[in-house]
PDB file of all heavy atoms in Angstrom:
ATOM      1  N   ALA A 246     -18.472 -28.003 -12.832  1.00 95.00           N
ATOM      2  CA  ALA A 246     -18.939 -26.777 -13.542  1.00 95.00           C
ATOM      3  C   ALA A 246     -19.055 -27.128 -15.015  1.00 95.00           C
ATOM      4  O   ALA A 246     -18.331 -27.994 -15.565  1.00 95.00           O
ATOM      5  CB  ALA A 246     -17.970 -25.676 -13.335  1.00 95.00           C
ATOM      6  N   SER A 247     -20.051 -26.501 -15.669  1.00 92.00           N
ATOM      7  CA  SER A 247     -20.240 -26.609 -17.070  1.00 92.00           C
ATOM      8  C   SER A 247     -19.650 -25.422 -17.788  1.00 92.00           C
ATOM      9  O   SER A 247     -19.465 -24.348 -17.115  1.00 92.00           O
ATOM     10  CB  SER A 247     -21.702 -26.709 -17.433  1.00 92.00           C
ATOM     11  OG  SER A 247     -22.433 -25.518 -17.037  1.00 92.00           O
ATOM     12  N   GLY A 248     -19.326 -25.513 -19.066  1.00 91.00           N
ATOM     13  CA  GLY A 248     -18.797 -24.416 -19.866  1.00 91.00           C
ATOM     14  C   GLY A 248     -18.208 -24.931 -21.123  1.00 91.00           C
ATOM     15  O   GLY A 248     -18.013 -26.159 -21.320  1.00 91.00           O
ATOM     16  N   LYS A 249     -17.989 -24.018 -22.065  1.00 89.00           N
ATOM     17  CA  LYS A 249     -17.348 -24.410 -23.294  1.00 89.00           C
ATOM     18  C   LYS A 249     -16.305 -23.335 -23.690  1.00 89.00           C
ATOM     19  O   LYS A 249     -16.693 -22.108 -23.810  1.00 89.00           O
ATOM     20  CB  LYS A 249     -18.341 -24.608 -24.437  1.00 89.00           C
ATOM     21  CG  LYS A 249     -17.762 -25.162 -25.680  1.00 89.00           C
ATOM     22  CD  LYS A 249     -18.809 -25.514 -26.699  1.00 89.00           C
ATOM     23  CE  LYS A 249     -18.118 -26.185 -27.886  1.00 89.00           C
ATOM     24  NZ  LYS A 249     -19.045 -26.509 -28.994  1.00 89.00           N
ATOM     25  N   PRO A 250     -15.067 -23.680 -23.804  1.00 90.00           N
ATOM     26  CA  PRO A 250     -14.544 -25.043 -23.627  1.00 90.00           C
ATOM     27  C   PRO A 250     -14.669 -25.510 -22.188  1.00 90.00           C
ATOM     28  O   PRO A 250     -14.869 -24.724 -21.273  1.00 90.00           O
ATOM     29  CB  PRO A 250     -13.104 -24.926 -24.103  1.00 90.00           C
ATOM     30  CG  PRO A 250     -12.744 -23.474 -23.911  1.00 90.00           C
ATOM     31  CD  PRO A 250     -14.013 -22.725 -24.187  1.00 90.00           C
ATOM     32  N   ASN A 251     -14.475 -26.806 -21.951  1.00 92.00           N
ATOM     33  CA  ASN A 251     -14.639 -27.361 -20.636  1.00 92.00           C
ATOM     34  C   ASN A 251     -13.637 -26.729 -19.664  1.00 92.00           C
ATOM     35  O   ASN A 251     -12.453 -26.500 -20.015  1.00 92.00           O
ATOM     36  CB  ASN A 251     -14.342 -28.883 -20.628  1.00 92.00           C
ATOM     37  CG  ASN A 251     -15.463 -29.646 -21.337  1.00 92.00           C
ATOM     38  OD1 ASN A 251     -16.639 -29.197 -21.359  1.00 92.00           O
ATOM     39  ND2 ASN A 251     -15.131 -30.764 -21.955  1.00 92.00           N
ATOM     40  N   PRO A 252     -14.110 -26.346 -18.494  1.00 94.00           N
ATOM     41  CA  PRO A 252     -13.210 -25.636 -17.545  1.00 94.00           C
ATOM     42  C   PRO A 252     -12.202 -26.585 -16.943  1.00 94.00           C
ATOM     43  O   PRO A 252     -12.414 -27.797 -16.823  1.00 94.00           O
ATOM     44  CB  PRO A 252     -14.206 -25.097 -16.512  1.00 94.00           C
ATOM     45  CG  PRO A 252     -15.371 -26.002 -16.557  1.00 94.00           C
ATOM     46  CD  PRO A 252     -15.460 -26.481 -17.941  1.00 94.00           C
ATOM     47  N   LEU A 253     -11.021 -25.973 -16.497  1.00 94.00           N
ATOM     48  CA  LEU A 253     -10.046 -26.674 -15.700  1.00 94.00           C
ATOM     49  C   LEU A 253     -10.166 -26.300 -14.247  1.00 94.00           C
ATOM     50  O   LEU A 253     -10.668 -25.194 -13.908  1.00 94.00           O
ATOM     51  CB  LEU A 253      -8.654 -26.320 -16.208  1.00 94.00           C
ATOM     52  CG  LEU A 253      -8.371 -26.625 -17.680  1.00 94.00           C
ATOM     53  CD1 LEU A 253      -6.980 -26.098 -18.086  1.00 94.00           C
ATOM     54  CD2 LEU A 253      -8.443 -28.167 -17.933  1.00 94.00           C
ATOM     55  N   TYR A 254      -9.852 -27.248 -13.303  1.00 95.00           N
ATOM     56  CA  TYR A 254     -10.007 -27.042 -11.897  1.00 95.00           C
ATOM     57  C   TYR A 254      -8.704 -26.845 -11.170  1.00 95.00           C
ATOM     58  O   TYR A 254      -7.714 -27.534 -11.494  1.00 95.00           O
ATOM     59  CB  TYR A 254     -10.735 -28.182 -11.267  1.00 95.00           C
ATOM     60  CG  TYR A 254     -12.130 -28.488 -11.925  1.00 95.00           C
ATOM     61  CD1 TYR A 254     -12.274 -29.351 -12.968  1.00 95.00           C
ATOM     62  CD2 TYR A 254     -13.255 -27.752 -11.426  1.00 95.00           C
ATOM     63  CE1 TYR A 254     -13.522 -29.576 -13.500  1.00 95.00           C
ATOM     64  CE2 TYR A 254     -14.471 -27.986 -11.975  1.00 95.00           C
ATOM     65  CZ  TYR A 254     -14.616 -28.921 -13.010  1.00 95.00           C
ATOM     66  OH  TYR A 254     -15.880 -29.100 -13.588  1.00 95.00           O
ATOM     67  N   THR A 255      -8.697 -25.991 -10.228  1.00 94.00           N
ATOM     68  CA  THR A 255      -7.542 -25.849  -9.290  1.00 94.00           C
ATOM     69  C   THR A 255      -8.135 -25.687  -7.876  1.00 94.00           C
ATOM     70  O   THR A 255      -9.276 -25.236  -7.700  1.00 94.00           O
ATOM     71  CB  THR A 255      -6.647 -24.632  -9.567  1.00 94.00           C
ATOM     72  OG1 THR A 255      -7.488 -23.444  -9.629  1.00 94.00           O
ATOM     73  CG2 THR A 255      -5.924 -24.784 -10.920  1.00 94.00           C
ATOM     74  N   TRP A 256      -7.370 -26.127  -6.836  1.00 95.00           N
ATOM     75  CA  TRP A 256      -7.796 -26.039  -5.461  1.00 95.00           C
ATOM     76  C   TRP A 256      -6.870 -25.096  -4.624  1.00 95.00           C
ATOM     77  O   TRP A 256      -5.680 -25.067  -4.904  1.00 95.00           O
ATOM     78  CB  TRP A 256      -7.766 -27.426  -4.801  1.00 95.00           C
ATOM     79  CG  TRP A 256      -8.904 -28.316  -5.341  1.00 95.00           C
ATOM     80  CD1 TRP A 256      -8.877 -29.047  -6.437  1.00 95.00           C
ATOM     81  CD2 TRP A 256     -10.172 -28.484  -4.706  1.00 95.00           C
ATOM     82  NE1 TRP A 256     -10.071 -29.777  -6.598  1.00 95.00           N
ATOM     83  CE2 TRP A 256     -10.933 -29.392  -5.523  1.00 95.00           C
ATOM     84  CE3 TRP A 256     -10.827 -27.981  -3.579  1.00 95.00           C
ATOM     85  CZ2 TRP A 256     -12.200 -29.816  -5.234  1.00 95.00           C
ATOM     86  CZ3 TRP A 256     -12.061 -28.420  -3.296  1.00 95.00           C
ATOM     87  CH2 TRP A 256     -12.801 -29.269  -4.098  1.00 95.00           C
ATOM     88  N   LEU A 257      -7.443 -24.308  -3.765  1.00 94.00           N
ATOM     89  CA  LEU A 257      -6.699 -23.441  -2.957  1.00 94.00           C
ATOM     90  C   LEU A 257      -7.114 -23.628  -1.507  1.00 94.00           C
ATOM     91  O   LEU A 257      -8.225 -23.972  -1.205  1.00 94.00           O
ATOM     92  CB  LEU A 257      -6.985 -21.957  -3.300  1.00 94.00           C
ATOM     93  CG  LEU A 257      -6.588 -21.495  -4.736  1.00 94.00           C
ATOM     94  CD1 LEU A 257      -7.822 -21.591  -5.611  1.00 94.00           C
ATOM     95  CD2 LEU A 257      -6.057 -20.087  -4.714  1.00 94.00           C
ATOM     96  N   LYS A 258      -6.120 -23.480  -0.586  1.00 92.00           N
ATOM     97  CA  LYS A 258      -6.342 -23.446   0.835  1.00 92.00           C
ATOM     98  C   LYS A 258      -5.813 -22.171   1.424  1.00 92.00           C
ATOM     99  O   LYS A 258      -4.637 -21.838   1.225  1.00 92.00           O
ATOM    100  CB  LYS A 258      -5.644 -24.647   1.495  1.00 92.00           C
ATOM    101  CG  LYS A 258      -5.825 -24.674   3.040  1.00 92.00           C
ATOM    102  CD  LYS A 258      -5.005 -25.776   3.723  1.00 92.00           C
ATOM    103  CE  LYS A 258      -5.109 -25.709   5.251  1.00 92.00           C
ATOM    104  NZ  LYS A 258      -4.321 -26.707   5.925  1.00 92.00           N
ATOM    105  N   ASN A 259      -6.703 -21.447   2.078  1.00 92.00           N
ATOM    106  CA  ASN A 259      -6.395 -20.133   2.679  1.00 92.00           C
ATOM    107  C   ASN A 259      -5.689 -19.220   1.626  1.00 92.00           C
ATOM    108  O   ASN A 259      -4.776 -18.534   1.908  1.00 92.00           O
ATOM    109  CB  ASN A 259      -5.489 -20.311   3.879  1.00 92.00           C
ATOM    110  CG  ASN A 259      -6.260 -20.960   5.007  1.00 92.00           C
ATOM    111  OD1 ASN A 259      -7.440 -20.833   5.118  1.00 92.00           O
ATOM    112  ND2 ASN A 259      -5.486 -21.640   5.879  1.00 92.00           N
ATOM    113  N   GLY A 260      -6.190 -19.284   0.386  1.00 90.00           N
ATOM    114  CA  GLY A 260      -5.708 -18.346  -0.700  1.00 90.00           C
ATOM    115  C   GLY A 260      -4.523 -18.827  -1.458  1.00 90.00           C
ATOM    116  O   GLY A 260      -4.129 -18.234  -2.391  1.00 90.00           O
TER     117      GLY A 260
END
Side-chain angles (χ1 to χ4, degrees):
S247 61
K249 188 171 182 183
N251 291 330
L253 300 176
Y254 299 94
T255 55
W256 288 86
L257 299 95
K258 177 186 177 184
N259 294 331

